Amino acid sequence: KNIICIFATFSLNNAKESGKNTYDIFDNCDYQKFQRESAIIRYLHQSIDHDYEGFDVYFQPIVDVNKKEVTHLETLLRFKCDEFGRISPMEFIPLLEKSGLIIPVGKWVLEKAIQACLSLKKYQSQLKVNVNISYVQVLKSAILNDILSIMKKYNVDRNRLVIELTESGFIESDRSFVNFCNQLKENSILLALDDFGTGYSSLLYLKRLPACELKIDRAFVQELSGESDDATIVSAIVALAKTLNLKVVAEGVETEAQQTFLTELGCNTLQGYLLGKPVSAETIDALCAQGEMVPGADS
């Protein structure tokens, strides 16, 4: 009877979330997914309460292949817990957003990124760090104040930080999105449009936002060949970026053929496993100390 009540309550809540005058048919797969998500959110809460134990910040190099040097490091969040082990960012980041926990975690990630930038300054004075910001942080927190406060705390030049934004989640918060981006520009903080080309309004945002950089989504890079639709799209994005005097970065580069195709187009700034895997800040520091030009490339 208790199980039946639990199942009934689950379906009732689903029906309520769907709006008035509707119903929900119980599905065990949906219930199992709900249980897993609820458990992960509990672990996320516990991690935050215990000084972010279980979270890790990794860095993936973004490489200028002409100069053969790392110009940026993208900050990537990782999470693991005892019950589920390592959990994909594709799963836990939406749960952070759904629960609002992305606000404290995002601030923690930002500080770790700035710390790494400061630590690596002795090896490369102009190295920049890229940090992804969630629409939840923009809508429900004083994220700009957090950014400025952290950079002031560590005395890091503002142009050493690149904020990466995707249009996902911003469609219904367009004004807040645009205002935030304009405030970044006013404070000399660089803006990159991530996953460019995947959203229906990418070109509109390109017109309205003060971006300095476009990042071509890995979905277009994975199947590049001279006559493919993906190749046509990538060629168009690179040409557009050049016309608008924007830097363009291709993500997800995993093969020599992809690198060759992209560099022949004039896209010389690349990111992907071919050029460097995500590694810890300690590993980046050690590799730089050894004179490695592309951290993680052989790992």
Side-chain angles (χ1 to χ4, degrees):
K1 289 183 179 180
N2 288 337
I3 291 295
I4 293 174
C5 288
I6 292 172
F7 291 168
T9 301
F10 172 72
S11 291
L12 176 62
N13 289 335
N14 282 345
K16 288 180 178 179
E17 289 179 3
S18 299
K20 294 182 178 180
N21 300 319
T22 187
Y23 64 90
D24 179 77
I25 298 174
F26 177 79
D27 183 286
N28 190 56
C29 290
D30 288 342
Y31 181 67
Q32 294 299 323
K33 179 182 177 183
F34 166 76
Q35 283 190 310
R36 177 181 170 89
E37 290 182 351
S38 298
I40 292 173
I41 290 173
R42 287 196 300 272
Y43 281 112
L44 293 170
H45 271 287
Q46 291 173 12
S47 175
I48 294 169
D49 291 341
H50 291 83
D51 198 26
Y52 298 91
E53 181 181 356
F55 283 106
D56 283 310
V57 174
Y58 277 49
F59 297 90
Q60 185 171 28
I62 300 172
V63 180
D64 184 320
V65 293
N66 281 348
K67 296 180 180 179
K68 296 183 179 179
E69 69 176 13
V70 177
T71 59
H72 299 63
L73 296 172
E74 180 175 358
T75 312
L76 301 170
L77 183 61
R78 299 290 184 260
F79 180 71
K80 63 181 179 181
C81 62
D82 292 339
E83 182 175 353
F84 301 111
R86 288 200 172 273
I87 301 172
S88 168
M90 298 294 289
E91 182 176 14
F92 76 78
I93 289 179
L95 296 179
L96 286 173
E97 293 176 333
K98 178 181 178 180
S99 63
L101 296 176
I102 191 67
I103 293 173
V105 173
K107 186 175 180 181
W108 177 80
V109 170
L110 182 63
E111 184 153 9
K112 291 295 183 182
I114 296 302
Q115 288 174 347
C117 185
L118 182 63
S119 174
L120 296 170
K121 184 177 181 179
K122 58 183 175 289
Y123 303 115
Q124 190 170 337
S125 62
Q126 298 304 310
L127 185 70
K128 295 176 173 60
V129 289
N130 291 33
V131 178
N132 290 274
I133 296 296
S134 164
Y135 73 98
V136 178
Q137 293 171 270
V138 175
L139 290 178
K140 298 184 178 181
S141 75
I143 182 60
L144 182 66
N145 290 339
D146 291 339
I147 291 170
L148 297 177
S149 175
I150 291 170
M151 299 197 79
K152 182 178 180 180
K153 176 181 176 180
Y154 292 97
N155 193 28
V156 174
D157 293 340
R158 293 180 182 180
N159 63 5
R160 301 276 304 284
L161 174 66
V162 181
I163 295 297
E164 291 193 15
L165 294 170
T166 66
E167 68 183 63
S168 174
F170 287 101
I171 300 303
E172 296 181 6
S173 57
D174 186 72
R175 181 174 297 179
S176 297
F177 183 30
V178 174
N179 288 344
F180 173 67
C181 294
N182 287 332
Q183 288 173 338
L184 290 177
K185 182 179 181 181
E186 290 170 6
N187 286 279
S188 303
I189 296 170
L190 304 176
L191 170 66
L193 298 183
D194 197 15
D195 300 340
F196 188 79
T198 59
Y200 77 91
S201 58
S202 291
L203 290 177
L204 176 61
Y205 281 137
L206 186 58
K207 175 183 176 181
R208 298 179 62 186
L209 302 179
C212 65
E213 180 179 304
L214 303 181
K215 298 192 75 176
I216 301 174
D217 185 75
R218 66 184 65 249
F220 298 116
V221 174
Q222 295 305 301
E223 299 182 16
L224 279 181
S225 64
E227 299 179 357
S228 70
D229 289 341
D230 287 345
T232 302
I233 293 170
V234 169
S235 299
I237 293 174
V238 173
L240 177 64
K242 286 182 178 179
T243 301
L244 297 176
N245 198 29
L246 297 173
K247 181 177 180 179
V248 59
V249 178
E251 297 182 290
V253 179
E254 298 180 355
T255 69
E256 295 283 354
Q258 291 168 348
Q259 177 175 329
T260 299
F261 184 90
L262 289 162
T263 53
E264 287 177 352
L265 283 181
C267 180
N268 301 313
T269 307
L270 309 177
Q271 178 179 358
Y273 274 32
L274 179 69
L275 299 150
K277 298 179 181 179
V279 293
S280 67
E282 293 77 14
T283 300
I284 289 279
D285 192 283
L287 290 169
C288 287
Q290 296 167 12
E292 294 284 346
M293 296 301 293
V294 184
D298 297 321
S299 61

